[in-house]
Amino acid sequence: EKMPESLKIISRYGAGVDRVDMPAAHRKGITVTNTPGTNSVAVCELAFALMLAAARDIVPLDAQVKKGEWPRTQGIELKGKTLGIIGLGAIGVKVANVARHMGMEVYGYDPYVSVDAAWNLSRDVKHVLNVEEIFETCDIITIHVPLMDSTKGMINADAIAKMKDGVILLNFARDLLVDEKAVLDAIKAGKVRKYVSDFPNPTTAGQDGVIVIPHLGASTEESEDNCAKMAVKELMNYLENGNIVNSVNYPNCDMGICNQAGRVAIFHRNITNMISQFTTVLGNQGINITDMTNKSKGEYAYTMFDLESAVSADIVEQLAAIEGVFRVRVVK
């Protein structure tokens, strides 16, 4: 609720938006966008770097050698192992494809996999419909899903009990997806071989069997540049044309470059009779509509009108007064 009235858009530099007050953004007609896919190469490469580190015990061996010790241990090879990927977005698809090239058998779980992701996914990846098949089958499991109510704590004691002995768990999504105390208990019991996390906290930092790094998944020069460029493009497209790209709260909407005399955008509830009320207000003022689009996402909707003339403050006030309207923005 502290968001000022002048705030129009929040473009998240990265994928996660858990720090944004989404209900307030909805009510105030503020679109929240992110930059999906821009860090996918960086996270994919880091996942494999730490997958190998976990498989070969590189971190503890390095620490022992620094103490003057000369330990002899046996690691495991990735080739021939079964990798389970929870979440087949931009990152998960890249991890799956690389794993296939490394000779791993790959299982992927994502009930909402997009058409683009499906097209980019190797045909050799087995797309399973039940996450429990990942738990029961895979030697290594890596998590690449957003933090939501439905995914919070999805890796818990019950899930771990279904896993193979000696499983390696990697978490490059969010720490709250995993019951980390249950993981530590499983490490002590010998059930989990290694837990890798990109989210340091007092629960896991310094614990045996855990590799924790300081949230470096997207921290490469290339990823930083890609994120910045996409975020700026989203801001410019919205501010100049009213188009919404990669929104996480309102629907994506694209009417191209605004070439008409006026363009107005309306954030509102996704309920009946809204469009007719908008057109009635514009028609009563003698304003001709040349083009329009309406998109909805759950309870919320976004409507844009291209007009032959600019709208006055009085028209904006009338539109804003319609029950169910959160915000009216004059784009041009």
Side-chain angles (χ1 to χ4, degrees):
E1 293 299 336
K2 295 180 180 179
M3 297 176 181
E5 293 300 322
S6 58
L7 182 60
K8 298 180 177 67
I9 180 173
I10 298 171
S11 186
R12 172 67 172 88
Y13 188 85
V17 293
D18 45 295
R19 294 185 180 182
V20 179
D21 186 343
M22 300 302 285
H26 272 130
R27 291 190 299 271
K28 290 178 175 289
I30 299 169
T31 183
V32 181
T33 67
N34 61 2
T35 55
T38 54
N39 63 0
S40 57
V41 172
V43 177
C44 174
E45 291 184 358
L46 186 61
F48 277 99
L50 294 184
M51 199 183 301
L52 288 163
R56 301 299 295 273
D57 291 327
I58 290 173
V59 175
L61 289 175
D62 174 69
Q64 288 176 277
V65 170
K66 286 177 179 175
K67 295 177 183 178
E69 301 173 7
W70 197 266
R72 292 287 184 183
T73 62
Q74 281 189 327
I76 60 172
E77 296 179 1
L78 297 187
K79 184 177 180 180
K81 297 298 184 293
T82 303
L83 175 66
I85 303 171
I86 302 175
L88 294 172
I91 296 169
V93 167
K94 283 185 172 60
V95 172
N97 292 341
V98 171
R100 284 299 303 147
H101 285 294
M102 294 183 71
M104 303 182 78
E105 185 176 356
V106 182
Y107 286 64
Y109 169 77
D110 192 332
Y112 308 109
V113 63
S114 70
V115 174
D116 286 343
W119 275 109
N120 291 324
L121 192 63
S122 168
R123 68 180 65 183
D124 296 322
V125 174
K126 183 177 180 181
H127 187 200
V128 301
L129 301 179
N130 191 331
V131 71
E132 291 192 0
E133 190 170 350
I134 296 282
F135 299 153
E136 296 167 357
T137 306
C138 297
D139 305 298
I140 303 169
I141 298 173
T142 182
I143 311 165
H144 302 285
V145 295
L147 178 62
M148 302 182 295
D149 289 341
S150 60
T151 58
K152 186 177 181 180
M154 68 182 302
I155 306 298
N156 53 28
D158 289 340
I160 294 169
K162 295 182 176 71
M163 296 178 189
K164 299 170 71 171
D165 292 344
V167 66
I168 294 174
L169 299 175
L170 298 100
N171 181 7
F172 291 91
R174 283 291 183 270
D175 53 351
L176 294 179
L177 295 165
V178 178
D179 181 345
E180 294 183 327
K181 290 183 179 179
V183 171
L184 293 180
D185 290 341
I187 291 173
K188 291 175 184 177
K191 180 72 174 180
V192 173
R193 177 187 178 96
K194 283 285 188 299
Y195 174 60
V196 177
S197 173
D198 196 20
F199 307 96
N201 59 51
T203 301
T204 54
Q207 297 294 322
D208 291 338
V210 178
I211 302 174
V212 184
I213 57 174
H215 200 42
L216 298 178
S219 296
T220 65
E221 293 181 8
E222 296 86 350
S223 176
E224 297 278 337
D225 286 346
N226 291 337
C227 278
K229 290 174 183 176
M230 180 178 284
V232 169
K233 287 180 179 178
E234 290 171 357
L235 289 170
M236 291 177 62
N237 199 1
Y238 178 73
L239 294 175
E240 294 175 0
N241 301 299
N243 298 325
I244 300 177
V245 181
N246 293 324
S247 177
V248 295
N249 62 336
Y250 275 95
N252 291 335
C253 185
D254 190 348
M255 280 185 67
I257 296 172
C258 182
N259 294 316
Q260 293 296 314
R263 176 176 286 184
V264 64
I266 307 171
F267 295 86
H268 57 95
R269 291 195 182 280
N270 183 24
I271 54 180
T272 59
N273 201 36
M274 296 303 288
I275 304 301
S276 62
Q277 293 184 76
F278 300 154
T279 57
T280 296
V281 169
L282 295 170
N284 288 342
Q285 296 296 321
I287 295 179
N288 187 43
I289 300 169
T290 60
D291 196 8
M292 71 157 286
T293 185
N294 168 261
K295 300 293 183 180
S296 62
K297 188 173 187 177
E299 299 178 19
Y300 304 95
Y302 184 67
T303 300
M304 279 199 295
F305 294 98
D306 273 354
L307 310 168
E308 285 189 349
S309 57
V311 297
S312 64
D314 179 58
I315 295 174
V316 171
E317 187 175 338
Q318 290 181 52
L319 290 170
I322 296 172
E323 186 176 353
V325 170
F326 298 114
R327 185 172 196 157
V328 178
R329 178 177 168 238
V330 178
V331 178
K332 182 179 177 182

